[in-house]
Amino acid sequence: HLRSQFLFGFPIKGFRDWSQTREEQRELYKEFIKSYIPILDLKSTDSVKVYYGSTDLYDYQAYWLFCEDLKLAIFALVIVYVYMSIHTFSLILAFFAGGCILGSIGVSYFIVRVLLGHIKMNVLNGISLFVILGIGVDDAFVFIDTYKQMGFILDPAVRLKKTFQIDGKDNEKFTGYIKSC
């Protein structure tokens, strides 16, 4: 096995020192290091494996992965919205159920970022979008199906109240606990 390590230092060529233009040099370094990802990826063969890494590359790749997962989550949300529209026979009901799910994500992000003071969100938080989406859709289906099963109650207000009495207590305790994790 052969291992090589390349170390880069500051100041970058063209700059006098590190202290005055730190952020500008750091951004130039990040762009430089990112430009080598496709080149190094092409250099791996069956007999030679090229591995690379740095904190900046890890941050860049984690952010890229998060964005890709977010695209998948949005695609999944669209598919779920279509399925919910078909299941409920209502575009409006599916829209508001999806809004509740997305609202819970926004509120959770506010709590973590503003109230708890966590500035960075890691990749695991991006993956949790799929879990939250699944739990939220499950909640919506359970409530909608219970409401449909209460069809023998003709007054909509009484029917809704009965639906919350049956599903509201147990369902929200369990899924609320899971969402908070």
Side-chain angles (χ1 to χ4, degrees):
H1 296 317
L2 176 63
R3 182 180 190 154
S4 296
Q5 187 173 16
F6 298 95
L7 301 175
F8 298 97
F10 291 98
I12 294 178
K13 185 176 180 181
F15 290 90
R16 280 190 36 212
D17 63 15
W18 166 246
S19 61
Q20 294 175 347
T21 56
R22 182 176 300 207
E23 285 305 313
E24 184 180 356
Q25 290 185 59
R26 188 136 187 86
E27 289 305 314
L28 286 171
Y29 168 73
K30 285 180 184 179
E31 291 304 314
F32 167 75
I33 211 77
K34 284 191 291 189
S35 69
Y36 275 87
I37 292 174
I39 296 167
L40 294 173
D41 284 342
L42 292 174
K43 298 301 177 187
S44 283
T45 65
D46 289 336
S47 57
V48 176
K49 298 292 180 197
V50 177
Y51 298 102
Y52 53 88
S54 77
T55 304
D56 293 318
L57 279 178
Y58 174 78
D59 289 345
Y60 169 74
Q61 290 176 322
Y63 178 76
W64 179 84
L65 183 63
F66 177 78
C67 290
E68 292 300 311
D69 285 346
L70 191 59
K71 289 177 193 175
L72 290 173
I74 291 169
F75 178 72
L77 188 62
V78 169
I79 297 296
V80 166
Y81 173 74
V82 169
Y83 183 77
M84 285 179 68
S85 299
I86 293 168
H87 182 76
T88 62
F89 301 107
S90 171
L91 295 173
I92 295 170
L93 188 58
F95 174 78
F96 281 108
C100 288
I101 295 165
L102 292 177
S104 71
I105 294 169
V107 169
S108 299
Y109 183 76
F110 174 79
I111 290 171
V112 169
R113 175 113 184 184
V114 175
L115 298 180
L116 298 177
H118 292 284
I119 302 300
K120 287 192 173 185
M121 302 296 274
N122 61 26
V123 175
L124 191 57
N125 294 25
I127 295 169
S128 69
L129 293 174
F130 293 103
V131 175
I132 292 171
L133 180 64
I135 292 170
V137 168
D138 182 58
D139 286 350
F141 285 155
V142 168
F143 277 106
I144 291 166
D145 288 343
T146 303
Y147 184 80
K148 286 179 181 178
Q149 289 173 359
M150 296 289 137
F152 60 90
I153 301 173
L154 299 179
D155 183 13
V158 174
R159 188 175 176 187
L160 192 58
K161 182 180 177 182
K162 189 70 174 167
T163 300
F164 275 102
Q165 286 175 343
I166 291 171
D167 280 341
K169 294 176 186 172
D170 295 333
N171 192 25
E172 286 308 310
K173 283 180 192 173
F174 179 68
T175 57
Y177 172 74
I178 290 175
K179 286 179 191 175
S180 69
C181 292

